[in-house]
Amino acid sequence: MQYILNGLPIGAIYALVALGFSLTYASAGVLNWAQGDIVMLGAFLGFTFFQIMNLGFSVSLCISMITLAVIGIMVQFFILRPMQKRQAPEINVVIATLGVAIIMRNIALIIWGADAQIIPSPVSNNPIQFSMLSITPQDILIIAIGILLMLILQVFLKYTTEGRALRAVAQDRYAAIVMGIDAERSDAIAFAASSALGAAAGILVAPVFFITFNMGVGIGLKGFVAAVIGGLGNIPGAIAGGFFLGVVESLAGGQISSGYRDAITFALLILVLWLKPTGLFLQKTRQKV
């Protein structure tokens, strides 16, 4: 039970990153390989606002999410949208997102340098005991904010006009266009939301792990694995896949060895792709929100 409890905070981080992958894939059909580096930028921005400018954790979180949302819209508008209008092959669009990731990494290296940074926890570091189980306030904060953001996303998708339009584009892009929905606007909203969630994941994980300019590679890959496990484009599946992967990693690290944790993660990815390529939670369509 302690290992399962330990896996929930990192599972919430993976779920937020997986949601970013699923949103852009469901709406625009794009695998955004810059998602991990968006998490990295969110962590560095959170460090700047919270540690250097002393703006407070909640204010730093909101500003980081808004800033990365704007960056996500700019990437979609100036780089990916022109390529899609020219009907560029899908692999070209994927390579473009890799180029964006490398640019973000080098910008972070120029601005913040190669030295690792860390954000002090905004809450107490003293563990809270529940019988034989223990959890830190920082872990509770990660889980609570992560679940809150997931609920906000679900409310947005189900009960707002823009959210319903995004769902329609995800289900059938061309039918949505015929019905008068602006698909490109929905793509921009998807990129903004995915980038904001990535920024939140970055600032939440920053007090737990060191912030480095190349930290996005590992987190991005783990988020992608979680998205594949849940079914790319499936929002509830991405959430379930993130928590599932976090718990599996915790159990593997505690019961087997932390050195085999990554190997077990990607072995799980191969197993899912082999046995159920659409993911554990996606039944009928490639895109489902």
Side-chain angles (χ1 to χ4, degrees), residues 12-121:
I13 299 297
Y14 292 157
L16 292 174
V17 181
L19 282 172
F21 277 106
S22 288
L23 279 170
T24 55
Y25 183 76
S27 177
V30 175
L31 278 176
N32 183 16
W33 285 109
Q35 189 66 30
D37 290 278
I38 288 171
V39 175
M40 175 270 297
L41 282 181
F44 270 120
L45 286 176
F47 168 77
T48 301
F49 296 135
F50 180 62
Q51 181 71 1
I52 298 178
M53 300 177 66
N54 297 315
L55 292 182
F57 187 81
S58 58
V59 175
S60 301
L61 174 64
C62 292
I63 296 177
S64 298
M65 291 179 68
I66 293 170
T67 304
L68 265 298
V70 173
I71 292 174
I73 292 173
M74 292 173 62
V75 169
Q76 190 275 334
F77 185 84
F78 292 108
I79 299 176
L80 303 181
R81 184 183 295 186
M83 296 182 69
Q84 291 176 321
K85 282 186 175 181
R86 296 188 183 97
Q87 297 183 339
E90 189 172 332
I91 186 64
N92 291 14
V93 180
V94 173
I95 292 172
T97 65
L98 285 171
V100 171
I102 294 172
I103 291 171
M104 288 180 174
R105 216 168 296 161
N106 282 271
I107 290 174
L109 181 61
I110 293 170
I111 296 175
W112 290 285
D115 294 336
Q117 307 289 348
I118 192 167
I119 295 178
S121 176

Side-chain angles (χ1 to χ4, degrees), residues 7 121 134 141 170 199 203 218 224 234 241 247 259 264:
S121 176
S134 66
L141 181 68
I203 193 172
F224 175 70
N234 185 359
V247 170
I264 291 171

Side-chain angles (χ1 to χ4, degrees), residues 24 27-29 76 81 84 166 169 173 182-192:
T24 55
S27 177
Q76 190 275 334
R81 184 183 295 186
Q84 291 176 321
L166 197 157
V169 171
R173 186 178 186 87
D182 188 345
E184 291 181 345
R185 180 182 176 88
S186 294
D187 292 347
I189 291 172
F191 271 85

Side-chain angles (χ1 to χ4, degrees), residues 2 5 125-131 133-138 140:
Q2 184 64 60
L5 192 62
N125 291 318
N126 297 323
I128 300 173
Q129 293 292 139
F130 297 99
S131 184
L133 302 178
S134 66
I135 187 171
T136 65
Q138 177 63 36
I140 295 175

Side-chain angles (χ1 to χ4, degrees), residues 222-242:
K222 296 294 182 64
F224 175 70
V225 172
V228 170
I229 290 173
L232 271 172
N234 185 359
I235 299 304
I239 296 171

Side-chain angles (χ1 to χ4, degrees), residues 8 38 53 87 144 197 212 232 243 252 254 258:
L8 294 180
I38 288 171
M53 300 177 66
Q87 297 183 339
L197 291 172
T212 62
L232 271 172
F243 281 108
S258 59

